[in-house]
Amino acid sequence: MFKKVLIANRGEVALRVMRACKELGVKTVAVYSTEDADTYPVRYADEAVCIGPAPANQSYLIMSNIIAAAQTTGAEAIHPGYGFLAENADFARLCREHDLVFIGPSPECIERMGDKSSARETMKACGVPTVPGSDGCLDTVDEARAFAERVGYPVLIKATAGGGGKGMREVHDPADLESQYKAARAEAGAAFGNDGVYLEKLVMRPRHVEVQILADDFGNNVALCERDCSIQRRHQKLIEEAPSPALTEDLRRAMGVAAIKAVRATNYRNAGTIEFLLDERGHFYFMEMNTRVQVEHPVTEEITGTDIIKEQLRIAAGEPMSCASRAPFSPAGHAIELRINAEDPAHGFRPCPGTITKFEAPAGPGIRVESYVRAGSRISPYYDSLVAKLIVHGQDREEALARARRALDEFVIEGIATTIPFHKRVMENEAFIAGDVATDFIASQMGDVL
Ligand code: MV4
């Protein structure tokens, strides 16, 4: 195992990684911006190095400063967390060039999955189901029209450099194809410096279901069940649960098999997630692969009894994962994660940075709170608005829901607006209680309260 690891991140995920390191006897190095100097993860770390001012593009995204911090402190490996440099192939390569272990997949895997059109081709070639669409990027309107006619309208034009919903255009009427194609390319070019677009048939009212995978150097490839992340707003997930209420055992097995195929075909190592769209008929299609640990990883940990961060550290250190012999995984109970953001749901979820004057976290059976804040903590306007993740676990979905309601009632956060009132409403919503939700849930069901 490593003796010392640098965590190239901030907030709750930095603390989460440090806690895993501590349990494994690994020393930790925090890097921080001047804005974060007084935060708990910086104090928690064995050592801390300031890497620049508040804006992320002058601190958490400056690769050379982070590499230098690792070298001067004698860290052997870097955990990128999520966001920032976590899916930056150049950073993973730079680590390699400086004899530092990047705790994640190879730069080649990151690159291949970062280009969405080529990721789609890779999956199609190894037998993972994909949505009918274009092979590769579309060079001309005529090519786009040919594919749209072949798969049938409505279609979705996607930016190959996009992902997470950026740079997508729906086309319902063939008369709009040319203008939407041109707009998508222009938008993608301006946003990503890459105007490549591809096309897929539009899947109506899909659910977002993703499979967590782990792969080590010893040929162990495991699928740790799935998460249902259908409750999103403008491509920001707000609630995730595991297992998905929409899957049968057969469907779970088929999705796990597809995910493992993807892992084998790409020679993937470390933790990753294969995202699928699930349509109303129970057919699933590859959407994207995330080559990092995700915000919502705790729901998977709760129902599989694994520690995904510790497994990431073991795999990166060249050890076998510790959970391989327990596969195949069948979910133990049900877990739900509610993201408590510093946002005001009564005013269009506008960000509400500021000082937390009171912070009382819920506790008791089946409750886990992942947070880096205390009373007196300041939520910075410079970074994402995540204050805490409330994860509840029960023997079944009904118990998990009851625990979520109880925990939300116990949770006291004063000084800033949060998404707690939104979550209270969702936990009482009939469609959500029935597990009958798709990606349009917030727009279609929560409109009256927001
Ligand atoms: C789709 C789709 C429907 N049909 N692809 C959104 C993010 C990016 N990963 C891909 N996304 C979608 N791709 C086809 N062919 C609908 C979405 C989508 C979506 C997917 C998951 C969760 C929320 C979503 C919200 C809007 C659109």
Side-chain angles (χ1 to χ4, degrees), residues 261-283:
K261 264 191 203 168
V263 169
R264 289 225 173 87
T266 54
N267 200 23
Y268 193 88
R269 292 296 146 74
N270 214 282
T273 300
I274 323 281
E275 296 183 344
F276 295 102
L277 291 168
L278 177 66
D279 73 13
E280 290 177 305
R281 296 181 306 162
H283 294 170

Side-chain angles (χ1 to χ4, degrees), residues 184-208:
R185 281 194 75 151
E187 200 174 289
F192 312 115
N194 173 353
D195 70 353
V197 297
Y198 63 106
L199 174 152
E200 287 180 353
K201 186 165 180 69
L202 179 70
V203 178
M204 306 299 280
R205 280 199 86 230
R207 296 179 76 117
H208 172 134

